[in-house]
Amino acid sequence: MSEARIVVVGSSNTDMVVQSRRIPAPGETILGGKFVMAAGGKGANQAVAAARLGASVTFVARVGNDVFGRDALANFEKEGIDTRFIAIDPAEPSGVALIMVDEKGENCISVAPGANSRLSPDDVRRARSAIEQADVLLVQLEIPLETVEAAAELAAGAGTRVVLNPAPAQSLPERLLRRVDVLTPNETEATHLAGIRVSGEDSWALAACVLRQQGVETVVITRGAAGAFLSGAEGESGVPTAAITPVDTTGAGDSFNAALAVALAEGRDMASAVRFANLAGACSATRLGAQPSLPTREDLDRFIASCN
């Protein structure tokens, strides 16, 4: 099996996480428990997750000229990620995410994007050779949409597979969707993109049909503990995941997307790749934090063996 080559274009944040019995209502103050500060951001999480799963990863991003940015760069290098195309922004601070996690592992998140908001199409074009040589381009929506479009355009022109995690939810133009090989919304994001309420099997199929009619080749709707719904040229199916007791779901979606990209780059068929991604997401949800929860390949192999 050849080494998977993945380029991630996306955000880098520092996550500040507070655990508490429940998430407070608007205007309410409650006493929380454990506090954790860790590296995060959807792009950074997915880059680290893919690297830990054995892929050769190049990350295209922007960080601030501050302690958070310097720590992020050092962390990426420690993870073996190619950082040539991470720019240090002279004007904006590094991104920060404030996260609250309840005792069931559910979370709410507020993000100050900082330098992420200035990641530009020119930043992407500087990484053109890496994108053209990659097996998979993995992108999300915590950076400007024009930058996502520029990355997808370069990848599609070179025959590099495009996986788009459409989070956080926003409307997407058909010209972008036509360049997406695999779209991975959760139910909330699928509802926003397809314009219908997505909450059951019939609605999963309908939403996937709407998105495929807009040009997406394959749609994978993630459903947390219920696994994922896969719709593509070979048909539709539910793909199960492992039964777990979640600790923190913050990094689970990023683990899923990275594992999906790795599995596809390694040549797995789509159903097998989604099953692998489901298990990676489940494994991540058994640990606290975003990047600290992301499994290595050895971690995931042990977890998968324990599920059989």
Side-chain angles (χ1 to χ4, degrees), residues 94-118:
S94 298
V96 172
L98 304 180
I99 304 172
M100 289 177 287
V101 181
D102 70 16
E103 61 186 7
K104 296 179 181 178
E106 295 300 322
N107 63 63
C108 68
I109 304 172
S110 182
V111 178
N116 296 310
S117 65
R118 286 163 53 91

Side-chain angles (χ1 to χ4, degrees), residues 271-282:
S272 174
V274 173
R275 171 65 174 167
F276 181 75
N278 277 343
L279 293 170

Side-chain angles (χ1 to χ4, degrees), residues 20-233:
S20 57
R21 183 174 58 83
R22 60 181 175 82
I23 294 171
E28 181 185 22
T29 299
I30 63 175
L31 291 177
K34 187 175 181 179
F35 169 74
V36 175
M37 187 166 70
K42 288 187 178 300
N45 293 345
Q46 292 176 20
V48 169
R52 289 185 186 174
L53 292 174
S56 173
V57 178
T58 299
F59 188 28
V60 183
R62 268 188 179 259
V63 298
N65 186 19
D66 51 33
V67 65
F68 291 152
R70 290 188 288 274
D71 286 351
L73 281 170
N75 181 60
F76 299 141
E77 290 168 358
K78 183 185 72 176
E79 297 285 353
I81 294 169
D82 182 348
T83 61
R84 288 176 295 160
F85 305 110
I86 299 178
I88 298 175
D89 195 286
E92 290 288 335
S94 298
V96 172
L98 304 180
I99 304 172
M100 289 177 287
V101 181
D102 70 16
E103 61 186 7
K104 296 179 181 178
E106 295 300 322
N107 63 63
C108 68
I109 304 172
S110 182
V111 178
N116 296 310
S117 65
R118 286 163 53 91
L119 186 65
S120 71
D122 285 342
D123 292 323
V124 167
R125 293 183 191 109
R126 280 191 280 273
R128 180 180 195 128
S129 61
I131 292 171
E132 291 177 342
Q133 293 167 22
D135 300 303
V136 175
L137 169 74
L138 179 56
V139 284
Q140 327 75 32
L141 300 177
E142 287 186 338
I143 56 175
L145 188 58
E146 64 177 353
T147 305
V148 175
E149 290 190 67
E153 181 178 8
L154 282 178
T160 298
R161 196 174 223 163
V162 178
V163 176
L164 173 59
N165 174 211
Q170 61 177 278
S171 299
L172 299 175
E174 282 197 29
R175 64 179 177 273
L176 172 59
L177 294 174
R178 286 194 297 269
R179 295 186 173 112
V180 173
D181 296 291
V182 186
L183 187 72
T184 63
N186 62 22
E187 289 185 321
T188 300
E189 292 148 5
T191 294
H192 186 92
L193 290 169
I196 60 172
R197 186 170 181 269
V198 179
S199 61
E201 188 167 354
D202 289 343
S203 64
W204 302 328
L206 181 57
C209 180
V210 169
L211 293 169
R212 292 187 64 215
Q213 286 176 346
Q214 293 179 29
V216 178
E217 181 178 325
T218 301
V219 176
V220 182
I221 300 175
T222 59
R223 301 178 291 142
F229 180 80
L230 168 62
S231 175

